[in-house]
Amino acid sequence: TKPSIRIISPAEDGQVPAGSIDVRVEIDATNGVEKVEYYLNDRLTKTSDTFPYTEKIRIPRRETIKLEARVTDLLGYQGSHTVNITINDEADTIAPETMINYPEEGATFPPQTTVTIQTNSQDNIGISEVSFYLDDRLMGKTGTPPYEWNLSLPDEIALHTITVIAKDGGGLSAQDTVQIRIEEPSNKH
């Protein structure tokens, strides 16, 4: 079976700024993925061989660009998807959106547990970075989807606040917060 690939960001006929953008793809490759190649106007620009195959691609100052993502599976079969995008040099005025999917508000964990903070962070142009905080202390950052972070919880028995801040290339940001409780597991008889 030939692999398939779909560019999920930027969208078809989307507007992007000149500079760098994040290109995100979805892939269905039953034979595994050898590589994903990115082309701008039929010219190879980047190659990725690491999941999730998201790349920052430098966009030249042209009016319209054809962006193609081409996947090659481990048997040499290829699939591709192309979108046309328009360069917009106007300032980015739309803030990103972010939501913590996990953990949920009020979740309880034992001390010194590692929890994967999962977010849904998106922007009309692209997310440049997502920062993860525990009680106002920066715990880590990522600029690569799916915008998750493995957080080692402290041993302090208390309520704690997890905050996620997503920033776009225009400097705009959005945040979401959940409170969690760290407590010793109860012994049930």
Side-chain angles (χ1 to χ4, degrees):
T1 310
K2 280 179 60 172
S4 66
I5 189 168
R6 185 172 73 85
I7 298 171
I8 55 177
S9 178
E12 174 68 33
D13 296 322
Q15 292 192 9
V16 300
S20 294
I21 62 165
D22 287 325
V23 179
R24 296 183 4 208
V25 295
E26 287 180 343
I27 298 172
D28 182 9
T30 55
N31 298 317
V33 175
E34 178 185 326
K35 64 184 174 182
V36 174
E37 298 170 308
Y38 295 95
Y39 294 82
L40 291 178
N41 293 332
D42 300 316
R43 186 171 158 251
L44 179 62
T45 304
K46 286 256 182 153
T47 301
S48 176
D49 61 0
T50 307
F51 181 82
Y53 311 105
T54 298
E55 286 292 332
K56 278 201 180 305
I57 295 183
R58 188 139 190 74
I59 301 294
R61 293 185 176 272
R62 293 196 185 133
E63 204 165 291
T64 303
I65 291 177
K66 180 173 79 169
L67 170 65
E68 178 186 4
R70 188 178 301 166
V71 61
T72 303
D73 71 12
L74 297 174
L75 299 177
Y77 295 109
Q78 291 187 329
S80 68
H81 183 230
T82 301
V83 295
N84 293 300
I85 54 178
T86 302
I87 307 309
N88 182 352
D89 284 334
E90 294 179 21
D92 184 1
T93 58
I94 300 173
E97 297 175 5
T98 191
M99 184 176 79
I100 298 172
N101 292 336
Y102 185 85
E104 294 178 1
E105 178 72 28
T108 302
F109 298 96
Q112 298 180 323
T113 302
T114 299
V115 174
T116 301
I117 302 171
Q118 301 171 350
T119 73
N120 179 6
S121 299
Q122 53 194 349
D123 185 65
N124 64 316
I125 295 173
I127 297 288
S128 62
E129 149 184 301
V130 177
S131 303
F132 300 86
Y133 294 82
L134 180 65
D135 299 328
D136 297 324
R137 193 170 126 231
L138 178 63
M139 304 305 287
K141 298 178 181 185
T142 183
T144 307
Y147 307 117
E148 297 179 349
W149 192 262
N150 290 328
L151 176 65
S152 297
L153 298 177
D155 57 4
E156 178 187 358
I157 306 291
L159 278 175
H160 294 276
T161 302
I162 295 173
T163 302
V164 172
I165 299 175
K167 294 182 182 174
D168 67 15
L172 301 172
S173 65
Q175 76 177 42
D176 192 23
T177 301
V178 296
Q179 280 203 322
I180 61 166
R181 177 177 294 283
I182 297 177
E183 62 183 38
E184 292 291 343
S186 60
N187 293 331
K188 296 185 179 179
H189 298 282

